[in-house]
Amino acid sequence: MKLILLGAPGAGKGTQAETISKELGIPSISTGNILREAIKNGTPTGQKAKRLMDQGQLVPDDVILDIVRERVARADCQNGFILDGVPRTVAQAEGLERLGVCIDRVVSIEIEDAVIEQRMTGRRVCGVCGASYHVTANPPRQDGICDLCGGELVVRKDDKPETVRQRLTVYHNQTEALKGFYENLGKLRLVEGNQPIEAVHRDIMNALR
Ligand code: ADP
Ligand code: ZN
């Protein structure tokens, strides 16, 4: 299964990708997490990406495509993978096709901006492995600590309300058009995102059949 999870920032892609990844035994690839890791390590890619990400802007398509090309070539992607948060532009989707990365299914998690703006204030992410939590909707077992790796949970820099609004604008201007792109290929399925995490998960699994 080669799956793309589409949706606005905060729609729940990372949360869902984590469970699907465990259930299907395929890796979840988050370009956001890979870039945040690169920023932490001060790599050239990280330095290029940092300012853009802090402003809620997209990182250039060629940088993203390089990351994906390298990542999906690894052995653990042989039986499939989940792309979480990539592609973000039609140019990236076309780039994936050119690279010969063939996608089986694209699931768009649908949700209103107002719900997202509320949600994002409660998001906490693991500073070590990138896992996503919510202070009320999906709290960790122990306050401030990642269930998966014991890392410290932090507020993402781009989760400030102004930055969230900017990211939503970017989503509507640049990413949402991907729905038409994959609809034309017959690969798109829509799932209601404004419901409990388990219900979203169930709907996604049904959309994969
Ligand atoms: P994305 O990867 O799409 O940016 P996340 O998976 O990080 O989104 O989810 C954004 C925030 O919303 C997180 O704090 C997450 O715990 C929370 N969340 C995810 N899915 C739901 C849901 N169905 N209901 C309530 N909160 C959710
Ligand atoms: Zn962790």
Side-chain angles (χ1 to χ4, degrees):
M1 172 59 66
K2 294 177 180 139
L3 169 67
I4 291 174
L5 287 183
L6 212 61
K13 300 181 296 295
T15 303
Q16 297 298 332
E18 230 176 79
T19 341
I20 303 168
S21 165
K22 268 188 247 155
E23 202 164 315
L24 301 184
I26 53 177
S28 157
I29 301 171
S30 159
T31 41
N33 287 350
I34 292 173
L35 288 166
R36 278 183 286 278
E37 187 68 28
I39 292 172
K40 217 165 52 185
N41 296 332
T43 70
T45 304
Q47 283 166 1
K48 239 190 282 178
K50 183 175 185 327
R51 200 172 34 92
L52 292 165
M53 285 175 78
D54 285 351
Q55 293 172 350
Q57 300 290 349
L58 296 182
V59 171
D61 293 332
D62 56 329
V63 175
I64 297 295
L65 285 168
D66 279 349
I67 292 174
V68 176
R69 178 167 41 80
E70 192 271 326
R71 183 64 190 83
V72 299
R74 291 199 217 156
D76 63 341
C77 290
Q78 250 174 22
N79 296 323
F81 48 78
I82 305 160
L83 295 181
D84 162 12
V86 66
R88 284 279 235 278
T89 63
V90 171
Q92 289 176 17
E94 289 166 348
L96 288 181
E97 305 258 297
R98 267 199 310 279
L99 290 174
V101 178
C102 46
I103 301 300
D104 299 307
R105 191 53 49 90
V106 179
V107 173
S108 174
I109 306 179
E110 302 283 300
I111 191 157
E112 280 168 57
D113 288 7
V115 179
I116 288 177
E117 288 185 37
Q118 286 172 3
R119 246 191 214 181
M120 294 300 254
T121 58
R123 170 153 74 176
R124 301 292 181 271
V125 296
C126 174
V128 179
C129 78
S132 191
Y133 298 86
H134 191 277
V135 287
T136 52
N138 183 24
R141 283 193 294 271
Q142 196 186 339
D143 229 22
I145 305 290
C146 178
D147 290 350
L148 300 178
C149 77
E152 189 192 347
L153 301 186
V154 297
V155 176
R156 255 169 58 173
K157 212 168 174 182
D158 56 357
D159 279 353
K160 282 183 297 201
E162 341 49 291
T163 318
V164 168
R165 272 192 291 277
Q166 170 59 25
R167 290 163 64 207
L168 285 169
T169 304
V170 168
Y171 172 77
H172 293 303
N173 290 341
Q174 303 193 54
T175 308
E176 210 163 16
L178 281 172
K179 288 203 277 180
F181 181 88
Y182 287 114
E183 173 79 68
N184 287 336
L185 297 174
K187 295 180 176 172
L188 183 73
R189 301 290 182 275
L190 304 183
V191 161
E192 174 56 52
N194 191 12
Q195 34 174 3
I197 290 171
E198 301 72 36
V200 178
H201 175 69
R202 178 202 59 212
D203 288 356
I204 293 177
M205 295 316 281
N206 284 333
L208 298 187
R209 289 190 299 191

